[in-house]
Amino acid sequence: MADMFSKSDAYEKTMGRWSDLLAPLFLDFAGVSDGERVLDVGCGTGALCWAVLDAARTSEVVGIDPSESFTEHARERCGDPRAAFDVGDAQELPYPDASFEKSLSMFVFQFIPEGEKAASEMRRVTRPGGTVAACTWDAGGGMELTGTFWDEVGKLDPAARRRREENRRLFLEGEFTGLWNAAGLENVEETTLEIQCELASFDDYWLLFLQGATPMGAYVESATPEGRDALREALRKRFLPDGEDGPFTLGARAWAVRGRVPD
C-alpha cells in the first residue's frame, strides 16, 4: 500500500482525470462558499484543493495526506499562497478544534483503517454549524473503470477478487450515512454524483494500470506475464467487442455524504 501511494505521477495519470471531473460536483454538494477555510483530508495529488481554489477565489485550503510524494505533487500543482499541504494521518488530524468551515475528503475513506476515528476527527476540527463531507466511488457497479477491471480479474483469479471484497470499505449505499451518524453529525444526507470520461483508445485505458499506482495497478504489477496478457485481452474484448480500436466512454458514480456539526 505504501509503495502504491508513493507514485504521485503515476497516480495522477491513472485517476487524475476522474478526480478533476468529479471535484466540482462534490464541492457543490458540500456547499463550499467563497471566503471559507477548507480542509481536504487525503488530498492526494491535489485535485480537490485545486477545485476549491478555482471556485472560491478568497478561500484558503489545507490539504493533508500520509504520502510525502503526493503532498509534494499537490504543492507543485497548486502553487497558490492560499493553499498549504501537510503530511499526516486522517485519524489524528494535527489541527485545533473548530479550525475550518468545511472539512472534506474525496476517494480516501476506503483506505482508512478506522473510518470512525477519521470522521470524528473531521467533525472535531470543523466549527459548529460547519459541514463535514466525503465521497468515494460506488463499488456496486457504478464505477466502470474499476468495476469492469475487477469483474475480469474475478473470472481469471477468483482469489484476488475475494481478497478485494474482504478488504472493501465504504463503497455501497448507506455506509457513509451510518458513519456520519455515528460521528454525531446532524442533517446527514447521502447522494450520488455521476460523471462520464472519454478514453481515446484501449491503450488509454490499459496503460494506466502499468504505472503501479492504485490497487488495480498494484495487481497488474504483481501478476505473471501470462496473467497480465490474459487480463489485457479479456478487458479488450469487454470494451471493444467488435475488435476495432477507438474512443469509448466510461461512466462513474460516487456516493457522497454531508453532515452538519452541531452548535
Side-chain angles (χ1 to χ4, degrees), residues 7 9-15 17-18 145 149 199-214 216-218 220-221 228-229 231-233 235-236 239-240 245 248 250:
K7 301 174 179 178
D9 290 339
Y11 181 88
E12 182 67 22
K13 292 174 183 176
T14 305
M15 297 305 299
R17 72 181 88 177
W18 302 86
L145 175 75
F149 179 92
L199 290 92
S201 64
F202 179 73
D203 276 350
D204 195 21
Y205 173 84
W206 175 250
L207 294 179
L208 300 176
F209 305 132
L210 304 186
Q211 306 287 331
T214 78
M216 297 171 291
V220 170
E221 193 172 56
R228 201 156 40 238
D229 289 344
L231 178 59
R232 182 183 186 279
E233 288 310 304
L235 288 166
R236 185 181 178 88
F239 290 119
L240 305 170
D245 202 352
F248 58 97
L250 296 181

Side-chain angles (χ1 to χ4, degrees), residues 64-77:
I64 184 168
D65 196 280
S67 168
E68 286 192 36
S69 174
F70 278 19
T71 53
E72 182 60 31
H73 185 107
R75 192 175 293 113
E76 292 173 359
R77 176 184 185 180

